Amino acid sequence: MSALRRRRALFVLVVTAIAGTAAAVIAGVSDAGTKVVRPAVPELGVFSEPADTAVDPRLAGLADSPRFVSGGKSGAADLFRLHVLGRDLGAFSSTLVVLPYHEDRGVCYALLGRTETDPGMSYCYLPLDPQLPDELKDQHFSGSWFYTNVDGVPRVQLFGVAFDDVNRLRLSVNGSWREVPVSRNGFYLDLPGASYKDSARIEATLADGSKRVYDFPNTDD
Amino acid sequence: MSIRSTGDHSVRRSRRGKRLAVGLVVLAALIAVGAAYAYSAYRYSPTSQTQPGTSYQTGGWANRVYNYACREVGGYGWARARYYNSSGNVVADTNSQYTNCSDGAAARLDGNGYYRSWCRHDGTVAWQMACVTTQP
């Protein structure tokens, strides 16, 4: 092969490689109008699915609020990889969403009211952080006990996320057990009449048959 | 020729329509985000270490967009956020959450309303707590 042919062959190879890379990048970004889905927190299978929504205005302040006080670690929630786990939930027709956080080491989940005046709550955490205390370590789920008293009607909305290997979730309120439905790593239960003073325990049964328990610290006013 | 020409126009109109729709959606999102940020966030807890069980609250009631609490320095700690209405009743409560401002783990309430914001250090040792809320 002459020097000229070798140069031509090299040129074609380089151009093909660049074009291939560009095509892969473009295809990834344009897929469903979102970025390529990276496996954020592999234990939550829903993150392997394409994101549901771009930006929900009700989440506008979520990404920045903790950074307001921390001075700006790279901890913003990725609003473009939001996943809706449930819609039209409970008394406020709430939406349960989950999104990756803190460079994919963390998870934010939020219960968004239908309107801006409906109550909502969000929580972010690092599920696999080795520094978690004993009561949270290796728990395979995270739940929030969200109390509201709107128009004189007290209630608790239990909501959160559960790992793929959670086969069953149930809740005990003041000693009475009930099932908590889990769907696509999310769970929600509306408890009219419940209070932040109630004694509540949540129990997860994992695929290997083992159990994880968490007692909500509902102790005082 | 005329049919072809009409087709081109309709394609152009369709494209214009799509661009306009996308533009409107983006504009609506920006307006909504702007409206959320029209409220200024402010801190109502001190920037010094506080003891377990210490609570803080805003000086009065105002229209809030959010209220959150978290341990600010030295790792994680249990914290809680609440809203009170003007009758002094608890209208929303996060319960105790394991928080760390630096990791973005905060107990946070959302939802516009005329509330007093409140937070509490629910840990077992002294640390610095950040409680942040909004008002117009």
Side-chain angles (χ1 to χ4, degrees):
Chain A
M1 189 183 281
S2 70
L4 183 62
R5 281 188 177 172
R6 275 203 299 273
R7 271 187 214 145
R8 275 185 188 160
L10 185 63
F11 176 74
V12 169
L13 197 67
V14 169
V15 168
T16 305
I18 291 171
T21 304
V25 169
I26 291 167
V29 171
S30 64
D31 179 28
T34 64
K35 290 188 286 186
V36 170
V37 177
R38 296 193 302 273
V41 189
E43 291 76 7
L44 293 168
V46 70
F47 283 136
S48 302
E49 301 172 9
D52 285 308
T53 321
V55 177
D56 189 315
R58 292 172 294 177
L59 281 167
L62 177 63
D64 287 325
S65 58
R67 297 178 71 187
F68 176 78
V69 286
S70 70
K73 268 192 172 182
S74 54
D78 193 341
L79 298 177
F80 288 93
R81 291 162 69 199
L82 179 149
H83 296 264
V84 176
L85 305 182
R87 296 180 194 275
D88 201 22
L89 303 169
F92 306 107
S93 297
S94 301
T95 302
L96 176 61
V97 300
V98 63
L99 57 164
Y101 191 69
H102 210 295
E103 297 172 335
D104 285 0
R105 293 193 300 120
V107 176
C108 286
Y109 60 92
L111 193 64
L112 308 171
R114 188 176 55 83
T115 70
E116 288 185 352
T117 55
D118 289 325
M121 180 183 160
S122 55
Y123 180 60
C124 302
Y125 79 118
L126 305 178
L128 306 177
D129 188 346
Q131 303 299 319
L132 286 172
D134 289 344
E135 60 264 48
L136 297 176
K137 195 175 287 181
D138 193 32
Q139 201 172 51
H140 294 233
F141 67 91
S142 172
S144 287
W145 187 261
F146 177 33
Y147 170 81
T148 59
N149 187 348
V150 176
D151 297 330
V153 181
R155 67 181 347 106
V156 165
Q157 296 176 89
L158 171 72
F159 69 100
V161 292
F163 284 2
D164 294 344
D165 65 352
V166 172
N167 278 0
R168 182 188 184 198
L169 208 57
R170 62 181 192 143
L171 172 76
S172 167
V173 183
N174 300 326
S176 176
W177 287 97
R178 57 190 297 181
E179 294 294 315
V180 180
V182 182
S183 174
R184 293 178 65 230
N185 298 120
F187 61 87
Y188 175 88
L189 196 60
D190 192 11
L191 301 159
S195 165
Y196 55 90
K197 299 176 184 175
D198 287 333
S199 171
R201 162 175 284 198
I202 189 165
E203 178 195 82
T205 305
L206 308 187
D208 63 6
S210 63
K211 294 184 189 304
R212 301 290 187 275
V213 171
Y214 177 69
D215 293 312
F216 288 102
N218 307 344
T219 51
D220 65 359
D221 61 353
Chain B
M1 188 70 174
S2 62
I3 293 171
R4 192 176 186 182
S5 175
T6 303
D8 286 347
H9 283 305
S10 68
V11 168
R12 272 190 212 135
R13 272 201 301 273
S14 171
R15 281 183 187 153
R16 266 191 222 129
K18 278 182 186 168
R19 280 181 196 149
L20 185 63
V22 169
L24 286 173
V25 168
V26 170
L27 187 63
L30 289 174
I31 289 170
V33 170
Y37 282 110
Y39 292 86
S40 59
Y42 86 102
R43 176 193 190 116
Y44 59 98
S45 59
T47 54
S48 57
Q49 288 208 342
T50 57
Q51 296 299 318
T54 309
S55 62
Y56 306 97
Q57 60 183 3
T58 54
W61 291 265
N63 283 308
R64 313 287 178 190
V65 174
Y66 63 76
N67 175 34
Y68 72 80
C70 49
R71 177 173 176 174
E72 189 164 32
V73 177
Y76 278 79
W78 296 92
R80 182 176 199 149
R82 266 184 195 170
Y83 281 135
Y84 283 88
N85 65 12
S86 52
S87 302
N89 297 321
V90 179
V91 291
D93 180 291
T94 63
N95 206 313
S96 282
Q97 298 280 18
Y98 197 55
T99 68
N100 179 343
C101 301
S102 296
D103 276 346
R108 176 183 162 120
L109 293 168
D110 294 286
N112 294 10
Y114 191 71
Y115 302 132
R116 179 195 288 276
S117 291
W118 177 98
C119 69
R120 190 175 65 199
H121 178 323
D122 275 355
T124 54
V125 295
W127 35 258
Q128 185 174 316
M129 181 163 168
C131 301
V132 177
T133 190
T134 53
Q135 66 182 39

